[in-house]
Amino acid sequence: MTLSPDGPTTLSPARIRGALLALALGGFGIGSTEFVAMGLLPDIARDLFPALAASAPEQANAQAGWVISAYALGVVVGAPTIAAVAARWPRRRLLLVLLSAFTLGTVASALAPTFELVLLARFVSALPHGAYFGIASLVAASLMGPGKRGRGIALVLGGLTIANVIGVPVITWIGQLAGWRVAYLVVAGLFALTFLAVLAVVPWQAGDPSATMRTQLKVFGRVQVWLALLVGAIGFGGLFAVYSYVAPIATEVTGLGEAIVPIVLVVFGVGMTIGNFAGGALVDRSVRRSVYGFFLLMIVALAALGLSVQTVVGLFAGVFFVGAAASALSPAIQARLMDVARDGQSIASALNHSALNIGNSLGAALGGLAIASGLGYVAPIWIGLGLSVAGLALAVVTFSIDRAQRKRGAVHNYVTTSVRVSA
Protein backbone atom coordinates (compact mmCIF):
# COMPACT_ATOMS: atom_id res chain seq x y z
CA MET A 1 0.00 0.00 0.00
CA THR A 2 1.28 3.47 -0.86
CA LEU A 3 -0.17 6.94 -1.24
CA SER A 4 -0.81 8.83 -4.44
CA PRO A 5 -2.34 12.28 -4.96
CA ASP A 6 -5.66 10.52 -5.52
CA GLY A 7 -5.54 8.36 -2.39
CA PRO A 8 -4.11 4.98 -1.31
CA THR A 9 -3.20 2.48 -4.00
CA THR A 10 -1.87 -1.07 -3.93
CA LEU A 11 1.36 -1.65 -5.82
CA SER A 12 2.03 -4.91 -7.62
CA PRO A 13 5.13 -6.91 -6.60
CA ALA A 14 6.62 -6.16 -10.03
CA ARG A 15 6.12 -2.41 -9.51
CA ILE A 16 7.74 -2.59 -6.08
CA ARG A 17 10.74 -4.49 -7.48
CA GLY A 18 11.04 -1.98 -10.30
CA ALA A 19 10.94 0.95 -7.89
CA LEU A 20 13.60 -0.63 -5.65
CA LEU A 21 15.81 -1.28 -8.68
CA ALA A 22 15.39 2.33 -9.85
CA LEU A 23 16.43 3.59 -6.41
CA ALA A 24 19.40 1.21 -6.41
CA LEU A 25 20.40 2.44 -9.87
CA GLY A 26 20.79 5.91 -8.35
CA GLY A 27 23.09 4.37 -5.76
CA PHE A 28 25.01 2.74 -8.61
CA GLY A 29 25.54 6.13 -10.23
CA ILE A 30 26.58 7.72 -6.94
CA GLY A 31 29.02 4.90 -6.21
CA SER A 32 30.50 5.35 -9.66
CA THR A 33 30.92 9.12 -9.40
CA GLU A 34 32.34 8.93 -5.88
CA PHE A 35 34.76 6.04 -6.24
CA VAL A 36 35.96 6.17 -9.83
CA ALA A 37 38.42 8.91 -8.83
CA MET A 38 40.30 6.36 -6.68
CA GLY A 39 41.11 4.13 -9.65
CA LEU A 40 41.85 7.08 -11.95
CA LEU A 41 43.86 9.13 -9.46
CA PRO A 42 47.18 8.77 -11.36
CA ASP A 43 45.43 9.72 -14.63
CA ILE A 44 43.83 12.78 -13.01
CA ALA A 45 47.21 13.77 -11.55
CA ARG A 46 48.98 13.44 -14.92
CA ASP A 47 46.31 15.55 -16.65
CA LEU A 48 46.00 18.33 -14.07
CA PHE A 49 49.63 18.38 -12.86
CA PRO A 50 51.72 17.16 -15.82
CA ALA A 51 55.04 18.68 -14.71
CA LEU A 52 54.70 17.55 -11.09
CA ALA A 53 53.56 14.05 -12.14
CA ALA A 54 56.70 13.68 -14.28
CA SER A 55 59.10 14.81 -11.56
CA ALA A 56 57.37 13.72 -8.32
CA PRO A 57 54.44 11.32 -8.92
CA GLU A 58 53.77 10.79 -5.20
CA GLN A 59 53.33 14.53 -4.72
CA ALA A 60 51.06 14.75 -7.77
CA ASN A 61 48.88 11.84 -6.56
CA ALA A 62 48.62 13.41 -3.10
CA GLN A 63 47.58 16.73 -4.66
CA ALA A 64 45.01 15.05 -6.89
CA GLY A 65 43.58 13.36 -3.79
CA TRP A 66 41.93 16.69 -2.96
CA VAL A 67 39.44 15.89 -5.75
CA ILE A 68 38.22 13.05 -3.52
CA SER A 69 38.14 15.28 -0.45
CA ALA A 70 36.20 18.01 -2.30
CA TYR A 71 33.45 15.55 -3.20
CA ALA A 72 33.30 14.27 0.36
CA LEU A 73 33.01 17.79 1.76
CA GLY A 74 30.17 18.50 -0.67
CA VAL A 75 28.27 15.54 0.75
CA VAL A 76 28.86 16.77 4.30
CA VAL A 77 27.44 20.21 3.49
CA GLY A 78 24.60 19.11 1.23
CA ALA A 79 23.13 16.21 3.18
CA PRO A 80 21.75 18.01 6.26
CA THR A 81 20.98 21.23 4.38
CA ILE A 82 18.85 19.68 1.64
CA ALA A 83 17.23 17.16 4.01
CA ALA A 84 16.17 19.90 6.43
CA VAL A 85 14.91 22.30 3.76
CA ALA A 86 13.08 19.74 1.60
CA ALA A 87 11.75 17.20 4.14
CA ARG A 88 8.15 18.23 3.36
CA TRP A 89 8.54 17.80 -0.41
CA PRO A 90 6.90 14.78 -2.07
CA ARG A 91 9.67 12.22 -2.11
CA ARG A 92 9.68 11.30 -5.81
CA ARG A 93 9.80 14.96 -6.82
CA LEU A 94 12.77 15.53 -4.52
CA LEU A 95 14.57 12.48 -5.93
CA LEU A 96 14.11 13.81 -9.48
CA VAL A 97 15.49 17.23 -8.55
CA LEU A 98 18.50 15.60 -6.90
CA LEU A 99 19.17 13.39 -9.93
CA SER A 100 19.04 16.42 -12.23
CA ALA A 101 21.66 18.11 -10.04
CA PHE A 102 23.85 15.00 -10.13
CA THR A 103 23.73 14.90 -13.93
CA LEU A 104 24.63 18.54 -14.41
CA GLY A 105 27.34 18.53 -11.73
CA THR A 106 29.04 15.45 -13.16
CA VAL A 107 29.06 16.94 -16.66
CA ALA A 108 30.66 20.06 -15.20
CA SER A 109 33.31 17.89 -13.50
CA ALA A 110 34.21 16.34 -16.85
CA LEU A 111 34.42 19.66 -18.70
CA ALA A 112 36.14 21.86 -16.08
CA PRO A 113 39.49 22.99 -17.58
CA THR A 114 41.52 23.67 -14.41
CA PHE A 115 42.23 21.91 -11.12
CA GLU A 116 40.42 24.64 -9.14
CA LEU A 117 37.30 24.36 -11.29
CA VAL A 118 37.39 20.56 -11.07
CA LEU A 119 37.46 20.87 -7.27
CA LEU A 120 34.49 23.25 -7.35
CA ALA A 121 32.52 21.01 -9.74
CA ARG A 122 33.16 17.94 -7.59
CA PHE A 123 32.01 19.82 -4.47
CA VAL A 124 28.81 21.03 -6.15
CA SER A 125 28.02 17.64 -7.73
CA ALA A 126 28.28 16.02 -4.28
CA LEU A 127 25.66 18.23 -2.62
CA PRO A 128 22.68 15.92 -3.47
CA HIS A 129 24.49 12.71 -2.39
CA GLY A 130 23.36 12.37 1.22
CA ALA A 131 19.86 13.66 0.62
CA TYR A 132 19.36 11.16 -2.21
CA PHE A 133 20.38 8.19 -0.07
CA GLY A 134 18.39 9.48 2.89
CA ILE A 135 15.13 9.95 0.97
CA ALA A 136 15.65 6.82 -1.15
CA SER A 137 16.19 4.77 2.03
CA LEU A 138 12.92 6.06 3.51
CA VAL A 139 11.07 5.22 0.28
CA ALA A 140 12.65 1.75 0.14
CA ALA A 141 11.82 1.02 3.80
CA SER A 142 8.20 2.01 3.10
CA LEU A 143 8.05 -0.26 0.06
CA MET A 144 9.64 -3.19 1.95
CA GLY A 145 7.16 -3.04 4.85
CA PRO A 146 7.43 -3.30 8.66
CA GLY A 147 10.41 -5.03 10.28
CA LYS A 148 12.59 -4.76 7.17
CA ARG A 149 14.18 -1.35 7.69
CA GLY A 150 17.75 -2.62 7.55
CA ARG A 151 17.12 -4.59 4.38
CA GLY A 152 15.47 -1.58 2.74
CA ILE A 153 18.50 0.57 3.54
CA ALA A 154 20.82 -2.17 2.28
CA LEU A 155 18.95 -2.44 -1.02
CA VAL A 156 19.48 1.25 -1.78
CA LEU A 157 23.10 1.10 -0.65
CA GLY A 158 23.44 -2.09 -2.69
CA GLY A 159 23.53 0.02 -5.84
CA LEU A 160 26.57 1.82 -4.45
CA THR A 161 28.39 -1.39 -3.54
CA ILE A 162 27.56 -3.10 -6.84
CA ALA A 163 29.02 -0.03 -8.55
CA ASN A 164 32.32 -1.05 -7.01
CA VAL A 165 32.02 -4.49 -8.61
CA ILE A 166 30.90 -3.41 -12.08
CA GLY A 167 30.63 0.34 -12.55
CA VAL A 168 33.88 1.57 -11.03
CA PRO A 169 36.16 -1.04 -12.65
CA VAL A 170 34.51 -0.68 -16.08
CA ILE A 171 34.49 3.13 -15.94
CA THR A 172 38.07 3.08 -14.63
CA TRP A 173 39.05 0.97 -17.65
CA ILE A 174 37.24 3.42 -19.95
CA GLY A 175 39.03 6.31 -18.25
CA GLN A 176 42.43 4.67 -18.65
CA LEU A 177 41.77 4.21 -22.38
CA ALA A 178 39.90 7.42 -23.25
CA GLY A 179 40.72 9.79 -20.39
CA TRP A 180 39.23 10.46 -16.98
CA ARG A 181 36.96 13.18 -18.38
CA VAL A 182 35.23 10.66 -20.64
CA ALA A 183 34.75 8.44 -17.59
CA TYR A 184 32.80 11.20 -15.84
CA LEU A 185 30.62 11.76 -18.91
CA VAL A 186 29.70 8.07 -18.73
CA VAL A 187 28.72 8.57 -15.09
CA ALA A 188 26.56 11.55 -16.07
CA GLY A 189 24.74 9.24 -18.48
CA LEU A 190 24.00 6.86 -15.60
CA PHE A 191 22.35 9.67 -13.66
CA ALA A 192 20.24 10.67 -16.65
CA LEU A 193 19.10 7.05 -17.01
CA THR A 194 18.22 6.91 -13.30
CA PHE A 195 16.13 10.06 -13.64
CA LEU A 196 14.02 8.35 -16.31
CA ALA A 197 13.71 5.15 -14.25
CA VAL A 198 12.58 6.97 -11.10
CA LEU A 199 10.11 9.04 -13.11
CA ALA A 200 8.65 5.87 -14.64
CA VAL A 201 8.33 3.43 -11.71
CA VAL A 202 8.85 5.01 -8.27
CA PRO A 203 5.41 5.73 -6.76
CA TRP A 204 4.34 9.07 -5.38
CA GLN A 205 4.94 9.41 -1.64
CA ALA A 206 4.19 12.39 0.52
CA GLY A 207 6.97 14.08 2.42
CA ASP A 208 6.79 14.59 6.17
CA PRO A 209 3.96 17.14 6.61
CA SER A 210 5.03 17.94 10.16
CA ALA A 211 8.67 18.54 9.26
CA THR A 212 10.07 22.02 9.68
CA MET A 213 13.61 23.35 9.68
CA ARG A 214 13.34 23.69 13.44
CA THR A 215 12.16 20.12 14.13
CA GLN A 216 14.73 18.63 11.76
CA LEU A 217 17.61 20.66 13.19
CA LYS A 218 16.65 19.69 16.76
CA VAL A 219 18.55 16.46 16.23
CA PHE A 220 21.81 18.42 16.56
CA GLY A 221 20.93 19.10 20.20
CA ARG A 222 21.19 15.40 21.08
CA VAL A 223 24.53 14.08 22.31
CA GLN A 224 23.80 10.60 21.00
CA VAL A 225 23.32 11.95 17.47
CA TRP A 226 26.76 13.56 17.59
CA LEU A 227 28.32 10.38 18.93
CA ALA A 228 26.71 8.31 16.18
CA LEU A 229 28.02 10.78 13.60
CA LEU A 230 31.52 10.52 15.08
CA VAL A 231 31.37 6.73 15.00
CA GLY A 232 30.62 6.86 11.28
CA ALA A 233 33.02 9.68 10.42
CA ILE A 234 36.09 8.46 12.27
CA GLY A 235 35.43 4.76 11.79
CA PHE A 236 34.87 5.09 8.05
CA GLY A 237 38.05 7.09 7.72
CA GLY A 238 39.73 3.72 8.06
CA LEU A 239 38.21 2.52 4.79
CA PHE A 240 38.91 5.66 2.80
CA ALA A 241 42.49 6.05 3.96
CA VAL A 242 43.10 2.81 2.05
CA TYR A 243 40.56 3.07 -0.77
CA SER A 244 41.64 6.56 -1.81
CA TYR A 245 45.12 5.31 -2.64
CA VAL A 246 44.38 1.74 -3.68
CA ALA A 247 45.68 2.34 -7.22
CA PRO A 248 49.20 3.46 -6.22
CA ILE A 249 49.24 0.90 -3.38
CA ALA A 250 48.62 -1.87 -5.93
CA THR A 251 51.18 -0.59 -8.43
CA GLU A 252 53.93 0.80 -6.19
CA VAL A 253 53.78 -1.52 -3.15
CA THR A 254 52.46 -4.82 -4.49
CA GLY A 255 54.14 -4.25 -7.85
CA LEU A 256 51.14 -4.89 -10.10
CA GLY A 257 50.59 -3.21 -13.46
CA GLU A 258 47.98 -0.49 -13.93
CA ALA A 259 45.87 -2.93 -15.94
CA ILE A 260 45.31 -4.95 -12.74
CA VAL A 261 43.91 -1.97 -10.80
CA PRO A 262 40.34 -2.51 -12.10
CA ILE A 263 40.51 -6.12 -10.87
CA VAL A 264 41.58 -4.91 -7.42
CA LEU A 265 38.58 -2.58 -7.47
CA VAL A 266 36.30 -5.47 -8.42
CA VAL A 267 37.50 -7.46 -5.39
CA PHE A 268 36.99 -4.41 -3.19
CA GLY A 269 33.49 -4.03 -4.62
CA VAL A 270 32.56 -7.70 -4.17
CA GLY A 271 33.54 -7.43 -0.52
CA MET A 272 31.48 -4.26 -0.14
CA THR A 273 28.43 -5.82 -1.80
CA ILE A 274 28.50 -8.95 0.35
CA GLY A 275 29.13 -6.90 3.48
CA ASN A 276 26.31 -4.47 2.73
CA PHE A 277 23.60 -7.11 2.38
CA ALA A 278 24.92 -9.11 5.34
CA GLY A 279 24.95 -5.93 7.42
CA GLY A 280 21.40 -5.03 6.38
CA ALA A 281 20.08 -8.43 7.49
CA LEU A 282 21.96 -8.41 10.80
CA VAL A 283 20.95 -4.84 11.64
CA ASP A 284 17.31 -5.97 11.78
CA ARG A 285 18.38 -8.32 14.60
CA SER A 286 20.72 -6.07 16.61
CA VAL A 287 22.24 -2.69 15.75
CA ARG A 288 24.70 -2.79 18.66
CA ARG A 289 26.11 -6.24 17.96
CA SER A 290 26.40 -5.39 14.26
CA VAL A 291 28.43 -2.25 14.94
CA TYR A 292 30.79 -4.04 17.36
CA GLY A 293 31.26 -7.11 15.19
CA PHE A 294 31.95 -5.30 11.94
CA PHE A 295 34.35 -2.82 13.53
CA LEU A 296 36.35 -5.72 14.94
CA LEU A 297 36.42 -7.41 11.53
CA MET A 298 37.60 -4.17 9.92
CA ILE A 299 40.42 -3.73 12.44
CA VAL A 300 41.66 -7.27 11.87
CA ALA A 301 41.42 -6.88 8.09
CA LEU A 302 43.38 -3.61 8.07
CA ALA A 303 46.11 -5.08 10.28
CA ALA A 304 46.39 -8.11 7.99
CA LEU A 305 46.49 -5.88 4.90
CA GLY A 306 49.24 -3.70 6.35
CA LEU A 307 51.39 -6.75 7.14
CA SER A 308 50.89 -8.56 3.81
CA VAL A 309 50.20 -5.89 1.19
CA GLN A 310 53.51 -6.58 -0.56
CA THR A 311 52.06 -9.92 -1.72
CA VAL A 312 49.30 -10.35 -4.30
CA VAL A 313 47.29 -12.66 -2.02
CA GLY A 314 47.63 -10.25 0.90
CA LEU A 315 46.45 -7.31 -1.22
CA PHE A 316 43.40 -9.06 -2.66
CA ALA A 317 42.34 -10.72 0.62
CA GLY A 318 42.90 -7.51 2.54
CA VAL A 319 40.87 -5.25 0.28
CA PHE A 320 38.04 -7.82 0.16
CA PHE A 321 37.64 -8.00 3.94
CA VAL A 322 38.21 -4.28 4.52
CA GLY A 323 35.49 -3.54 1.97
CA ALA A 324 33.12 -6.13 3.45
CA ALA A 325 33.49 -4.93 7.03
CA ALA A 326 33.21 -1.23 6.21
CA SER A 327 30.20 -1.67 3.94
CA ALA A 328 28.40 -3.78 6.56
CA LEU A 329 28.81 -0.90 9.01
CA SER A 330 26.93 1.56 6.78
CA PRO A 331 23.34 0.28 7.31
CA ALA A 332 24.14 -0.27 11.00
CA ILE A 333 25.25 3.33 11.50
CA GLN A 334 22.29 4.64 9.50
CA ALA A 335 19.87 2.62 11.64
CA ARG A 336 21.62 3.89 14.78
CA LEU A 337 21.20 7.49 13.63
CA MET A 338 17.52 6.94 12.88
CA ASP A 339 17.05 5.47 16.36
CA VAL A 340 18.67 8.34 18.24
CA ALA A 341 17.19 11.10 16.00
CA ARG A 342 13.60 10.08 16.86
CA ASP A 343 11.38 12.63 15.05
CA GLY A 344 14.11 13.82 12.67
CA GLN A 345 14.06 10.77 10.38
CA SER A 346 14.68 12.60 7.09
CA ILE A 347 17.71 14.46 8.28
CA ALA A 348 18.98 11.43 10.21
CA SER A 349 18.92 9.27 7.08
CA ALA A 350 20.90 11.91 5.21
CA LEU A 351 23.33 12.61 8.06
CA ASN A 352 24.69 9.08 7.81
CA HIS A 353 26.22 10.03 4.48
CA SER A 354 27.61 13.25 5.88
CA ALA A 355 29.35 11.16 8.52
CA LEU A 356 30.67 8.62 6.04
CA ASN A 357 31.98 11.34 3.77
CA ILE A 358 33.67 13.16 6.62
CA GLY A 359 35.41 9.81 6.97
CA ASN A 360 36.08 9.87 3.22
CA SER A 361 37.62 13.33 3.41
CA LEU A 362 39.49 12.58 6.64
CA GLY A 363 40.92 9.31 5.40
CA ALA A 364 41.93 10.71 2.01
CA ALA A 365 43.48 13.83 3.56
CA LEU A 366 45.44 11.99 6.27
CA GLY A 367 46.58 9.34 3.80
CA GLY A 368 47.69 12.04 1.36
CA LEU A 369 49.61 13.88 4.08
CA ALA A 370 51.39 10.68 5.06
CA ILE A 371 52.37 9.98 1.45
CA ALA A 372 53.45 13.57 0.80
CA SER A 373 55.58 13.41 3.99
CA GLY A 374 57.56 10.54 2.51
CA LEU A 375 56.11 7.76 4.67
CA GLY A 376 55.17 5.69 1.63
CA TYR A 377 51.98 4.11 0.36
CA VAL A 378 51.66 1.61 3.23
CA ALA A 379 51.24 4.45 5.75
CA PRO A 380 47.55 5.09 4.88
CA ILE A 381 46.74 1.50 5.87
CA TRP A 382 48.08 2.06 9.39
CA ILE A 383 46.30 5.41 9.59
CA GLY A 384 43.12 3.57 8.63
CA LEU A 385 43.69 1.03 11.40
CA GLY A 386 44.03 3.81 13.99
CA LEU A 387 40.84 5.51 12.79
CA SER A 388 38.89 2.23 12.97
CA VAL A 389 40.07 1.60 16.54
CA ALA A 390 38.91 5.10 17.46
CA GLY A 391 35.54 4.43 15.79
CA LEU A 392 35.06 1.25 17.84
CA ALA A 393 35.94 3.11 21.05
CA LEU A 394 33.31 5.75 20.29
CA ALA A 395 30.74 3.01 19.58
CA VAL A 396 31.42 1.53 23.02
CA VAL A 397 30.83 4.98 24.56
CA THR A 398 27.51 5.63 22.80
CA PHE A 399 26.05 2.20 23.59
CA SER A 400 27.28 2.45 27.20
CA ILE A 401 25.32 5.69 27.55
CA ASP A 402 22.25 3.84 26.26
CA ARG A 403 22.72 1.12 28.88
CA ALA A 404 23.16 3.66 31.69
CA GLN A 405 20.02 5.52 30.60
CA ARG A 406 18.00 2.30 30.56
CA LYS A 407 19.19 1.45 34.07
CA ARG A 408 18.23 4.89 35.35
CA GLY A 409 14.84 4.54 33.69
CA ALA A 410 14.32 1.13 35.27
CA VAL A 411 15.24 2.45 38.73
CA HIS A 412 12.93 5.44 38.27
CA ASN A 413 10.02 3.18 37.24
CA TYR A 414 10.68 0.86 40.20
CA VAL A 415 10.70 3.74 42.68
CA THR A 416 7.57 5.29 41.18
CA THR A 417 5.74 1.95 41.31
CA SER A 418 6.82 1.33 44.92
CA VAL A 419 5.58 4.75 46.03
CA ARG A 420 2.21 4.14 44.38
CA VAL A 421 1.84 0.72 46.03
CA SER A 422 2.76 2.16 49.45
CA ALA A 423 0.23 4.93 49.02
Side-chain angles (χ1 to χ4, degrees):
M1 184 79 71
T2 189
L3 292 176
S4 76
D6 302 316
T9 60
T10 301
L11 297 176
S12 68
R15 177 73 182 277
I16 293 173
R17 286 193 297 270
L20 292 170
L21 286 173
L23 296 172
L25 181 60
F28 186 92
I30 295 172
S32 298
T33 197
E34 181 175 17
F35 296 129
V36 75
M38 282 71 163
L40 291 175
L41 197 63
D43 302 85
I44 295 172
R46 283 192 293 268
D47 180 47
L48 297 176
F49 309 106
L52 185 61
S55 60
E58 286 192 1
Q59 296 285 342
N61 285 335
Q63 187 80 356
W66 284 104
V67 172
I68 299 168
S69 295
Y71 184 93
L73 291 172
V75 179
V76 173
V77 172
T81 304
I82 296 173
V85 169
R88 300 179 70 173
W89 288 22
R91 288 172 177 170
R92 184 177 66 175
R93 181 194 301 170
L94 178 55
L95 290 173
L96 293 173
V97 170
L98 297 174
L99 288 165
S100 298
F102 270 128
T103 304
L104 296 174
T106 308
V107 170
S109 301
L111 300 181
T114 66
F115 175 64
E116 292 77 15
L117 288 176
V118 170
L119 284 182
L120 178 61
R122 295 310 294 150
F123 176 84
V124 171
S125 64
L127 293 174
H129 177 125
Y132 177 88
F133 275 123
I135 298 302
S137 294
L138 292 175
V139 173
S142 173
L143 292 171
M144 290 287 290
K148 298 180 180 178
R149 178 183 63 172
R151 277 164 281 187
I153 295 169
L155 277 169
V156 176
L157 293 174
L160 185 149
T161 60
I162 292 171
N164 286 279
V165 181
I166 302 171
V168 173
V170 171
I171 297 171
T172 298
W173 175 72
I174 291 171
Q176 289 173 340
L177 291 179
W180 68 271
R181 296 180 186 276
V182 173
Y184 276 111
L185 289 175
V186 172
V187 174
L190 287 174
F191 285 126
L193 179 61
T194 305
F195 178 95
L196 296 175
V198 169
L199 181 64
V201 297
V202 172
W204 186 91
Q205 283 192 7
D208 183 352
S210 63
T212 64
M213 281 282 288
R214 183 177 179 181
T215 59
Q216 292 295 301
L217 295 178
K218 278 172 61 178
V219 301
F220 291 109
R222 296 170 186 150
V223 172
Q224 286 288 53
V225 169
W226 284 105
L227 284 172
L229 288 172
L230 284 172
V231 170
I234 294 176
F236 257 75
L239 168 68
F240 289 109
V242 176
Y243 199 12
S244 299
Y245 302 98
V246 68
I249 287 172
T251 56
E252 301 300 324
V253 179
T254 313
L256 301 175
E258 280 196 2
I260 305 299
V261 171
I263 300 176
V264 177
L265 294 174
V266 168
V267 173
F268 225 135
V270 169
M272 293 178 75
T273 302
I274 293 172
N276 173 62
F277 288 109
L282 291 173
V283 163
D284 287 330
R285 299 183 182 181
S286 172
V287 174
R288 180 178 60 85
R289 287 198 295 270
S290 296
V291 170
Y292 285 168
F294 291 124
F295 259 127
L296 288 171
L297 176 59
M298 190 169 171
I299 289 167
V300 171
L302 283 165
L305 178 63
L307 294 172
S308 63
V309 69
Q310 290 83 2
T311 68
V312 175
V313 172
L315 173 69
F316 279 95
V319 299
F320 174 86
F321 283 107
V322 169
S327 189
L329 277 169
S330 186
I333 293 171
Q334 181 148 336
R336 174 64 179 169
L337 271 168
M338 293 170 74
D339 289 339
V340 297
R342 298 196 289 273
D343 56 348
Q345 294 294 292
S346 294
I347 197 168
S349 295
L351 280 173
N352 181 45
H353 299 279
S354 287
L356 302 190
N357 279 274
I358 290 173
N360 186 338
S361 183
L362 180 67
L366 291 178
L369 286 173
I371 294 167
S373 299
L375 298 178
Y377 286 114
V378 179
I381 300 174
W382 299 118
I383 289 172
L385 177 62
L387 290 171
S388 296
V389 170
L392 176 59
L394 287 166
V396 171
V397 170
T398 184
F399 287 116
S400 296
I401 291 173
D402 271 359
R403 189 164 55 251
Q405 289 175 339
R406 285 196 298 270
K407 286 182 179 179
R408 285 198 296 270
V411 169
H412 174 75
N413 291 338
Y414 175 77
V415 171
T416 302
T417 302
S418 298
V419 169
R420 287 175 179 172
V421 169
S422 299

